[in-house]
Amino acid sequence: MDTDTRPVPDFLRQESYQYMGSAPLQADRYTSPTFFRQELEKMWPRVWQFAAREEDMPEPGDFVLYENAGRSYLVTRQQDGSIRAFHNVCLHRGRKLRLESGSAAEFKCPFHGFAWSTDGSLKNIPCRWDFPHLQDEELALPEAQVGRWAGYIFIRESAEGPSLEDYLAPLPDFFKRWRHEECTTVIWVGKVVNANWKVVAEAFMEAWHTVETHPQILPFTGDANTQYSTYGDHVNAALTPFAVMSPHIDPAGKAQQWIVDEFLKYNGRAGGTEMSVDVPDGMTARRAMAAANREKYQADSGYDHSHVTDAELLDAFVYNVFPNFAPWGGFMPNIVYRWRPWPDQDKTLMEVRILVRLPADAPKPPPVEMNFLGPDQPWTDAKELGVLGDVFQQDMENLPFVQDGLKCSKNGQVQLGNYQEIRVRHLHATLDKYLA
């Protein structure tokens, strides 16, 4: 950051690391059905969960079906533009009211025809004469708590606990610069992975697996130079520098132009092979690539990027919000991860969204549906991801074997590095507080 053309915000420089011990984790935290049931009962109902983006449900009556951890919700836009979330269960005989997202004037059960308005109030009971014991006000659909921040919609089943703003802190302060509320989803891909949700999430919490898992990105990735931070109980971050060579690479004979060329081929968030960037003599690859991105993203979005720092145009700022939400910061297209048990301790729905900034006067495009890859489809089948599909496929190829290995571990222990895997330890420390 000292060598960049613009001074970075103070919050990117401030280190927030605290040693959390070196004791091993127990492998059965990932494999035990009993431990998984404890998560379902004690943790998931009490945490804020990213359920949808505003652009997923732009009009009154639009709703998103959000399912996780044994619950099903209809996250619904009201006539006044507000959002409410209702449990997606008919209060008559228990059938789910909806099986997919959409738009509706009412939620009518396909079994017997009990119906609710989109504000959750009871609308109709067929053969009403047979239910004199039921009062309308007692049959409103149960609700979950709803919170909104930066274009993201969150729900929480429990009415008790911190506000969304307190839960996310310090994320709202950090992301003011990056304005995710001005972004929209342009790509959304999901796939079920044969591994525990924590195994999958943790694969994206550290950068030092790059040297073995993603060797093609080493020429422009400071993998072992990543800064790791934790904030309170619910937020942690990894800041990984790009357009610099990995310390695992011998720099002898490696020109700055080579770094840029490799960046454009394999980064995935940059302009790709159609973009050409020349590095003048005496200039670093980092400065040249940042200048090119500054010009490109200013032209694409219509926003002034003259103040935007090199780091915010290049680096991977990966923030995690406990337990299963990870938005990327900066001004490049923003990646957003979400992980959900699907449905048990051995499988996870991994979702990847790509957000881009729209020009201020541009209408938002229609909502993007998730490209749900089948069991036999690799991530590379999602052509919209470009070279990112190759990176995700490399990650996913490890994870089923991690899950299998944890099940047959002789000592039943998982060892963690003190610094580079602090985010993994942080997740488990917070999980333990909910389970207690």
Side-chain angles (χ1 to χ4, degrees):
M1 290 180 178
D2 286 343
T3 66
D4 287 354
T5 61
R6 290 157 176 76
V8 301
D10 289 341
F11 70 83
L12 290 177
R13 285 188 173 276
Q14 292 170 354
E15 295 194 45
S16 184
Y17 170 80
Q18 182 179 1
Y19 174 65
M20 300 182 71
S22 301
L25 301 177
Q26 297 305 305
D28 65 1
R29 298 174 70 88
Y30 304 91
T31 62
S32 163
T34 300
F35 192 89
F36 181 72
R37 284 196 299 273
Q38 289 180 327
E39 293 177 340
L40 296 183
E41 295 168 6
K42 298 181 179 181
M43 185 272 286
W44 286 109
R46 298 169 56 203
V47 296
W48 285 105
Q49 301 175 46
F50 162 49
R53 285 276 305 172
E54 296 277 357
E55 63 267 18
D56 297 340
M57 40 193 301
E59 301 297 332
D62 291 349
F63 64 91
V64 168
L65 173 65
Y66 175 70
E67 297 188 306
N68 186 34
R71 296 296 192 201
S72 181
Y73 306 92
L74 298 171
V75 185
T76 310
R77 190 173 297 280
Q78 302 298 298
Q79 291 300 314
D80 63 359
S82 63
I83 306 289
R84 297 172 71 177
F86 306 104
H87 286 258
N88 179 34
V89 177
C90 177
L91 299 179
H92 171 221
R93 295 271 290 275
R95 189 197 193 279
K96 287 183 177 180
L97 296 170
R98 288 289 187 273
L99 303 181
E100 58 186 17
S101 303
S103 185
E106 65 178 8
F107 297 127
K108 184 177 181 180
C109 180
F111 195 178
H112 294 88
F114 273 62
W116 286 263
S117 299
T118 56
D119 64 2
S121 60
L122 182 66
K123 187 175 181 180
N124 183 52
I125 298 179
C127 292
R128 182 120 192 182
W129 57 266
D130 204 18
F131 297 89
H133 51 288
L134 296 182
Q135 304 300 315
D136 285 16
E137 58 273 15
E138 295 174 356
L139 234 63
L141 291 176
E143 288 192 64
Q145 303 294 303
V146 172
R148 298 159 78 176
W149 165 74
Y152 299 96
I153 299 167
F154 294 81
I155 67 166
R156 182 178 63 195
E157 181 171 338
S158 173
E160 299 178 354
S163 67
L164 178 61
E165 291 74 18
D166 289 343
Y167 190 95
L168 294 175
L171 225 59
D173 287 338
F174 292 0
F175 276 65
K176 283 179 182 177
R177 288 178 62 88
W178 303 323
R179 305 188 307 276
H180 279 210
E181 64 274 10
E182 296 172 357
C183 298
T184 193
T185 303
V186 294
I187 295 171
W188 184 7
V189 182
K191 180 175 171 60
V192 175
V193 183
N194 293 324
N196 182 263
W197 70 271
K198 298 182 294 296
V199 166
V200 183
E202 290 163 14
F204 299 88
M205 289 188 183
E206 43 81 13
W208 75 285
H209 67 276
T210 299
V211 66
E212 286 295 332
T213 303
H214 312 299
Q216 78 276 15
I217 72 172
L218 291 175
F220 57 87
T221 304
D223 54 334
N225 297 340
T226 296
Q227 175 178 290
Y228 298 95
S229 299
T230 59
Y231 305 95
D233 286 333
H234 298 116
V235 178
N236 58 50
L239 310 185
T240 301
F242 279 163
V244 294
M245 276 188 287
S246 166
H248 296 293
I249 287 184
D250 182 358
K254 305 293 193 306
Q256 294 294 299
Q257 185 66 55
W258 176 73
I259 298 174
V260 164
D261 292 343
E262 296 299 295
F263 185 102
L264 290 172
K265 279 194 292 186
Y266 297 118
N267 175 266
R269 293 194 301 153
T273 54
E274 72 275 8
M275 187 175 178
S276 178
V277 177
D278 294 324
V279 183
D281 290 341
M283 182 179 284
T284 64
R286 186 171 170 84
R287 286 196 172 199
M289 195 65 237
N293 278 351
R294 186 176 291 108
E295 181 178 345
K296 173 179 171 51
Y297 298 136
Q298 179 162 308
D300 289 347
S301 69
Y303 290 102
D304 178 18
H305 279 53
S306 60
H307 69 290
V308 175
T309 67
D310 298 356
E312 293 170 299
L313 291 163
L314 293 170
D315 299 339
F317 302 155
V318 188
Y319 291 85
N320 272 63
V321 176
F322 182 86
N324 66 330
F325 167 55
W328 287 41
F331 285 93
M332 296 181 78
N334 298 109
I335 300 173
V336 180
Y337 301 135
R338 180 169 65 183
W339 305 279
R340 290 186 271 173
W342 204 262
D344 57 26
Q345 72 277 353
D346 288 327
K347 294 184 185 295
T348 299
L349 175 58
M350 166 84 186
E351 297 169 74
V352 178
R353 289 181 185 240
I354 308 294
L355 273 54
V356 301
R357 279 158 194 79
L358 295 175
D361 57 350
K364 286 198 173 183
V368 173
E369 294 187 6
M370 182 174 68
N371 178 4
F372 201 163
L373 298 173
D376 298 324
Q377 287 185 280
W379 284 82
T380 50
D381 274 8
K383 301 303 181 185
E384 61 268 39
L385 289 172
V387 296
L388 284 176
D390 297 275
V391 175
F392 293 135
Q393 183 61 27
Q394 289 171 325
D395 284 311
M396 301 305 159
E397 286 174 351
N398 285 322
L399 303 186
F401 300 107
V402 173
Q403 187 72 7
D404 288 347
L406 290 167
K407 289 181 177 180
C408 59
S409 170
K410 173 66 174 176
N411 66 6
Q413 294 183 344
V414 174
Q415 302 290 347
L416 299 174
N418 291 338
Y419 183 70
Q420 293 183 103
E421 290 167 327
I422 190 64
R423 300 173 78 202
V424 176
R425 194 175 294 280
H426 181 247
L427 179 147
H428 286 268
T430 298
L431 176 58
D432 283 343
K433 291 180 181 180
Y434 279 94
L435 299 187

